[in-house]
Amino acid sequence: MKTLFSLFMALLISQIAFAKNTDTRYYEMRIYYCHPGKLPDLLTRFRNHTTKIFERHGMTNVGYWVPVDNKDNALYYVLSYPSKEARDVSWKAFGADPEWKTVAAESEKNGKIVAKVTSIFMNTTDFSPAVKEQKKNPERVFELRTYTAAPDKLNDLLARFRNHTLKLFKKHGMTNVVYWTTIEKDGSQPKLVYILAHKSEEAGKASFDAFRKDMKWVKARDESEKNGKLTEKVESMYMTPTDFSTIK
């Protein structure tokens, strides 16, 4: 009886701990594509004004990055909110903020800065590390990876990451920063989006080479794909953090 009671209490405590660690925030990755030569102006505006105004209206600055190969003059950044409804309220208030209106007008005296904005809405996975401020010295290079799962295979893909992949990434010198699944507007199968940190781009590529040869990975991959491949497409992009990013 005592043993059963102890097991019950241990299970209850673990469930409470899981509930406390579950990240229920609503995440948004925003990609700003700048007009030629305007990215420095955008970064200055974010550094000096925008991030502070975001915080004033209840938005949390998660991280800001620019691609290493930045042919599109893009800024990638992530915000979080308590909920989708809170997100909508915050952006409405931000757009009406007098300081923001002044800053936007002043910064665009010589022409528009942003040509296009793309948003991706996301939730953290149950196995993601906690999303928090982290700054390392020397600064790291980050890798944004997006997986499009094969039809009806997302849960199998997530299980493989949960049970094997994260541990093997860490074994080969990669830092797991955050893992999300997307919220698709049309209700289609979400994508897996995650960020890794490396000492450098070269170190990241070397780590992946070692990872792919690891027999534990080969076994996990083959076992999980007995009934077909789990992914249709994998996209990777290396990024560097801005000087004002909360994750570096």
Side-chain angles (χ1 to χ4, degrees):
M1 178 67 73
K2 185 176 180 181
T3 302
L4 287 174
F5 178 76
S6 298
L7 288 172
F8 171 76
M9 290 304 296
L11 177 61
L12 180 61
I13 291 170
S14 67
Q15 288 176 334
I16 293 172
F18 175 77
K20 287 182 177 178
N21 292 329
T22 299
D23 186 351
T24 61
R25 293 183 66 83
Y26 188 70
Y27 286 84
E28 182 179 9
M29 180 179 291
R30 294 175 65 86
I31 308 165
Y32 284 22
Y33 299 93
C34 293
H35 290 290
K38 292 293 186 178
L39 180 59
D41 294 335
L42 179 66
L43 296 178
T44 296
R45 190 167 75 186
F46 268 89
R47 180 186 302 109
N48 297 337
H49 305 284
T50 313
T51 55
K52 301 177 184 68
I53 302 174
F54 280 167
E55 292 284 354
R56 181 192 305 159
H57 293 292
M59 308 185 217
T60 299
N61 295 293
V62 174
Y64 290 79
W65 300 269
V66 292
V68 171
D69 183 14
N70 201 4
K71 295 176 182 177
D72 295 323
N73 300 307
L75 169 67
Y76 284 68
Y77 71 96
V78 177
L79 299 173
S80 70
Y81 320 90
S83 65
K84 179 184 184 302
E85 293 73 22
R87 183 263 178 201
D88 295 342
V89 170
S90 291
W91 273 101
K92 185 176 181 180
F94 171 81
D97 189 296
E99 182 184 351
W100 164 246
K101 290 182 177 180
T102 300
V103 166
E106 183 66 27
S107 65
E108 295 184 345
K109 280 184 176 180
N110 297 316
K112 286 284 187 181
I113 291 176
V114 178
K116 184 176 71 170
V117 176
T118 298
S119 281
I120 301 169
F121 298 102
M122 308 175 295
N123 296 129
T124 52
T125 67
D126 63 334
F127 54 82
S128 176
V131 181
K132 58 185 178 181
E133 180 175 327
Q134 46 180 285
K135 297 180 181 180
K136 303 291 184 180
N137 189 14
E139 289 182 6
R140 302 166 294 176
V141 167
F142 293 79
E143 185 179 4
L144 175 66
R145 295 178 66 86
T146 303
Y147 286 35
T148 301
D152 300 319
K153 293 292 187 179
L154 178 64
N155 287 337
D156 293 334
L157 178 64
L158 296 178
R160 190 169 73 189
F161 269 85
R162 182 186 301 112
N163 298 330
H164 305 284
T165 312
L166 268 71
K167 301 181 187 73
L168 291 170
F169 280 171
K170 184 176 180 180
K171 173 184 175 182
H172 291 288
M174 300 181 251
T175 299
N176 297 294
V177 177
V178 60
Y179 287 78
W180 294 290
T181 51
T182 61
I183 302 167
E184 300 297 323
K185 292 179 181 179
D186 61 0
S188 60
Q189 179 174 252
K191 296 181 175 65
L192 171 64
V193 176
Y194 66 97
I195 296 177
L196 299 173
H198 310 287
K199 291 180 179 178
S200 65
E201 184 175 348
E202 293 73 22
K205 291 176 179 177
S207 290
F208 261 103
D209 286 342
F211 164 79
R212 293 185 184 101
K213 295 173 185 176
D214 191 306
M215 292 311 298
K216 288 186 177 180
W217 160 245
V218 173
K219 181 180 178 181
R221 181 199 63 201
D222 292 350
E223 182 68 26
S224 66
E225 296 188 345
K226 283 182 177 179
N227 297 316
K229 288 185 69 65
L230 302 188
T231 58
E232 288 188 340
K233 183 168 67 171
V234 175
E235 301 164 86
S236 168
M237 181 179 68
Y238 284 91
M239 315 180 294
T240 56
T242 66
D243 60 292
F244 53 86
S245 180
T246 53
I247 297 178
K248 295 183 179 181

